[in-house]
Amino acid sequence: MGSSGTIDSLRRMEPEPLLGVRRSRRWPVLLIGGCVVQVGIRLLFAVHQKTPILIPDETGYLLAARLMAGGAAGDLSGWPLYQAGYPLLISPAFWLSDDPATVYGLVTVINSLFGASLLVLAYVALRRLDLSRAQAYVIATVTALLPSVIYYGQFAMADAVLPVVVLGWLLLVHTWIASGRWGYGAAASALAAYCYCVHSRGSIIVVVHAGLLTVALWRRWAGKRDIAAAVGVLVAGAAAGWTLNGWVQSKIYPGGVKPLGDFLVARLTSLDGLAWTLSLAAGKVWFLIVSTCGVAGAGLVVVGALAVRRATPRPTRATSWVVLAALTGIAIASSAAVPDEGTVANFVYGRYLGCLTPVLFMAGAAFAVRGTREAVDRAVLATTCLTLAAVGVVWWYAGKRLSRSFFSVFEFPEISFLTWSWDALRLWSATCAALFLLALAGLVVSKYRQAGALAAAAAFIVFALADMAVVSKRVVRYWEGELESATSLAPAGLQAHDHVALDYSGLSWRIWVSQAFQVRTGLEPLDRFRRETLPRDATLVVVPWDALLPQRPEDSWPSAPPNWHPVSIRTTYAGGWVAWRPGR
């Protein structure tokens, strides 16, 4: 962003028609080039991965995708339902290959393509906020490189595409209210319904969208026929998603799914449950703010101000209310429905609000560029108060459980990097660091304006890429190696045609859930103490083994037929197991 005077003088030197042609060509080329760079950055971080590590989530999505591509189903009974919308997008990977490592690599390519498209959507959204092309392009680039967006794009997770879908939905909502054209309303309904098919958070988006249609009918923002069309698309899309999810559940969860809805009802109908819910919701808001160095918090303040101001244009005001409703609904519902697993992530968690992080980050960054110095200072002060209120609630409710509960670094990539703490959550250190960076950025932008904004954007890009580089090497690659060493059936000579029987009793779920994706024909249950349970077509058997007990690996399968023998013995952090094959 050069000085405005220099740019104006250059414009006066060029003929207007030629300048118009150059403008029309330059920005599409820059957007396409930016998307190519975004894809390359994402693949750079994901290229080393060959196996799912965020299990059982990744395995649930991959098994559903394999099923949709015509492959074996698998059995994840008792786990939460990993819905069908995301597997539908990645299922073509199973058409191109049946090798699990190749399929996983293709999934990361699909994720990268979807993630890179966030740049274009963010650019369009920022132009709606009256930013110049250059300002919109820079902020869109930073938004697309948010650590939370890139991080989940490395895995076979719905969160790799959900931020893109949610931003697209909000853009269509804004366009529909601004233009009044029924096609945009129908398209917004279709994306809301697709969100419902992708993740349980989508249920909140469907409810919010239905509320928007009700308000639009009441306030006569559109004709009754147009709203009826939007309602019809929403109902039809939600019904199709419900049907597809039901089919996946019947195939992969024949024994039923974990009843998270029971937790939701119980928590929202008791005082203790409400305290739990509101505290966890505060923790999610805290994570949203701190993980973006406070910028998304400033965006939340700005969106709230736009929603309550009567002078705000109707499309922007309505979209602001939609964002606030979606954030509140997701924060409360996801907090109420989560079981108490004895983890730090129970109280502070960022993934569920991650689908709205780019939206709020853009709002905060755009306000910093366009607002006056006094307004930016007020936004920073309001964000500080909001952050301190959220962290105070978390600290008051969770207390010592934040230090005594199990800490998984996978849940805190941005926070761990910010405090350089990889084995515990430093709640107050992270809060102070984020607020300091927010105040510093606000000071630089308000004092030096465009040059300051460009410097802040460059600094955030460096911060985000450094975050991802460190997390990728220190966390993702390390645990990928650990999990592959603990679960891989390659040493047992696993082949595409192998039919694998497995004794689930006594075997860590981390082992068999990972192996469910490795085995292309699905896993068959086996009771190692009863020979008649061995499937006739089995060519490989996996049974648990405790190396600390006084037994040989040959004793791990008491009812083994005489011609079967151990071919691979593993003792790992997740437990021991022995793989058997029949003799030749």
Side-chain angles (χ1 to χ4, degrees):
M1 297 183 210
S3 70
S4 58
T6 302
I7 294 175
D8 289 340
S9 64
L10 289 174
R11 286 175 177 170
R12 288 193 293 270
M13 292 172 61
E14 296 178 325
E16 282 299 319
L18 178 60
L19 181 59
V21 172
R22 289 183 178 178
R23 281 181 182 172
S24 63
R25 290 178 179 175
R26 179 178 60 182
W27 289 104
V29 169
L30 285 175
L31 285 171
I32 294 172
C35 286
V36 172
V37 172
Q38 292 276 345
V39 171
I41 290 173
R42 284 161 167 75
L43 290 178
L44 183 64
F45 290 121
V47 69
H48 63 278
Q49 290 178 234
K50 295 179 174 28
T51 185
I53 56 177
L54 294 184
I55 56 174
D57 303 55
E58 287 192 87
T59 300
Y61 290 122
L62 289 166
L63 292 186
R66 187 173 71 186
L67 174 67
M68 293 179 186
D75 189 343
L76 292 179
S77 297
W79 293 98
L81 172 64
Y82 298 103
Q83 295 174 212
Y86 174 64
L88 190 64
L89 294 179
I90 64 174
S91 59
F94 288 90
W95 299 343
L96 300 175
S97 175
D98 66 347
D99 175 64
T102 303
V103 167
Y104 197 80
L106 291 171
V107 169
T108 61
V109 172
I110 295 172
N111 287 349
S112 298
L113 293 172
F114 270 93
S117 67
L118 185 66
L119 171 67
V120 178
L121 296 179
Y123 176 81
V124 174
L126 290 161
R127 290 289 289 157
R128 299 273 180 89
L129 297 176
D130 294 329
L131 267 66
S132 69
R133 288 184 175 89
Q135 292 171 336
Y137 188 84
V138 171
I139 296 177
T141 299
V142 179
T143 302
L145 292 176
L146 285 172
S148 62
V149 175
I150 299 180
Y151 178 70
Y152 285 108
Q154 299 178 95
F155 311 111
M157 298 274 288
D159 302 85
V161 301
L162 201 54
V164 178
V165 177
V166 169
L167 179 54
W169 166 60
L170 292 171
L171 277 173
L172 287 169
V173 165
H174 184 275
T175 306
W176 173 55
I177 297 174
S179 67
R181 297 178 182 177
W182 74 271
Y184 291 115
S189 294
L191 278 187
Y194 178 70
C195 288
Y196 165 74
C197 189
V198 170
H199 196 272
S200 56
R201 282 168 281 178
S203 303
I204 302 299
I205 290 177
V206 166
V207 172
V208 171
H209 193 77
L212 172 67
L213 295 178
T214 303
V215 173
L217 178 63
W218 171 46
R219 302 299 295 268
R220 298 180 181 178
W221 292 347
K224 292 183 179 179
R225 291 184 179 180
D226 294 348
I227 295 178
V231 170
V233 171
L234 182 66
V235 172
W242 180 83
T243 302
L244 185 59
N245 285 335
W247 177 69
V248 168
Q249 179 175 337
S250 68
K251 297 294 184 180
I252 300 181
Y253 307 84
V257 298
K258 184 177 288 186
L260 299 180
D262 295 348
F263 291 106
L264 180 68
V265 174
R267 294 259 172 69
L268 295 181
T269 55
S270 67
L271 291 179
D272 290 343
L274 286 173
W276 164 279
T277 300
L278 296 178
S279 171
L280 269 62
K284 290 176 174 59
V285 173
W286 176 87
F287 195 112
L288 171 77
I289 298 172
V290 173
S291 65
T292 58
C293 299
V295 179
L300 182 56
V301 171
V302 170
V303 169
L306 290 173
V308 299
R309 282 185 57 199
R310 294 185 178 274
T312 304
R314 178 191 296 169
T316 303
R317 190 180 187 194
T319 306
S320 298
W321 276 113
V322 165
V323 171
L324 294 176
L327 183 142
T328 303
I330 292 172
I332 290 177
S334 60
S335 298
V338 67
D340 188 350
E341 298 174 325
T343 66
V344 176
N346 266 138
F347 304 101
V348 179
Y349 193 46
R351 184 164 68 91
Y352 291 142
L353 292 183
C355 59
L356 291 167
T357 300
V359 176
L360 296 172
F361 182 89
M362 283 189 295
F367 182 77
V369 170
R370 295 197 59 206
T372 64
R373 182 172 183 175
E374 292 75 14
V376 171
D377 290 343
R378 287 196 298 270
V380 170
L381 178 60
T383 304
T384 302
C385 294
L386 176 62
T387 308
L388 292 177
V391 73
V393 170
V394 173
W395 182 256
W396 167 77
Y397 185 82
K400 294 181 179 179
R401 292 189 65 177
L402 292 174
S403 57
R404 295 178 178 176
S405 300
F406 174 74
F407 176 84
S408 172
V409 70
F410 279 108
E411 315 288 1
F412 301 90
E414 306 98 321
I415 309 298
S416 293
F417 178 77
L418 186 64
T419 59
W420 205 258
S421 175
W422 307 98
D423 57 359
L425 174 65
R426 305 287 185 254
L427 189 71
W428 289 102
S429 297
T431 303
C432 294
L435 293 178
F436 170 77
L437 292 175
L438 175 66
L440 180 62
L443 178 64
V444 170
V445 173
S446 62
K447 185 173 182 179
Y448 298 103
R449 305 311 299 166
Q450 301 301 322
L454 186 59
F460 197 93
I461 289 175
V462 171
F463 176 86
L465 294 180
D467 183 342
M468 286 308 307
V470 171
V471 170
S472 178
K473 182 178 181 180
R474 185 167 187 143
V475 179
V476 177
R477 294 188 188 183
Y478 172 78
W479 282 106
E480 180 192 27
E482 289 289 306
L483 190 63
E484 185 175 9
S485 174
T487 66
S488 176
L489 287 169
L494 181 67
Q495 301 294 322
H497 62 271
D498 270 325
H499 291 265
V500 180
L502 183 143
D503 189 344
Y504 292 89
S505 62
L507 193 66
S508 169
W509 66 267
R510 291 180 176 84
I511 295 172
W512 68 261
V513 166
S514 180
Q515 292 176 349
F517 172 60
Q518 298 176 42
V519 179
R520 304 170 210 190
T521 56
L523 296 174
E524 295 288 340
L526 166 77
D527 184 344
R528 66 184 184 277
F529 299 105
R530 299 174 58 189
R531 184 174 299 180
E532 64 270 18
T533 62
L534 176 65
R536 292 183 179 181
D537 59 353
T539 58
L540 183 66
V541 164
V542 177
V543 294
W545 179 58
D546 189 346
L548 298 178
L549 295 179
Q551 63 175 357
R552 303 173 303 157
E554 290 79 4
D555 299 329
S556 61
W557 186 12
S559 64
N563 63 323
W564 284 71
H565 62 278
V567 293
S568 181
I569 303 163
R570 311 303 292 271
T571 302
T572 73
Y573 77 95
W577 53 275
V578 180
W580 293 65
R581 279 194 181 277
R584 297 179 180 176

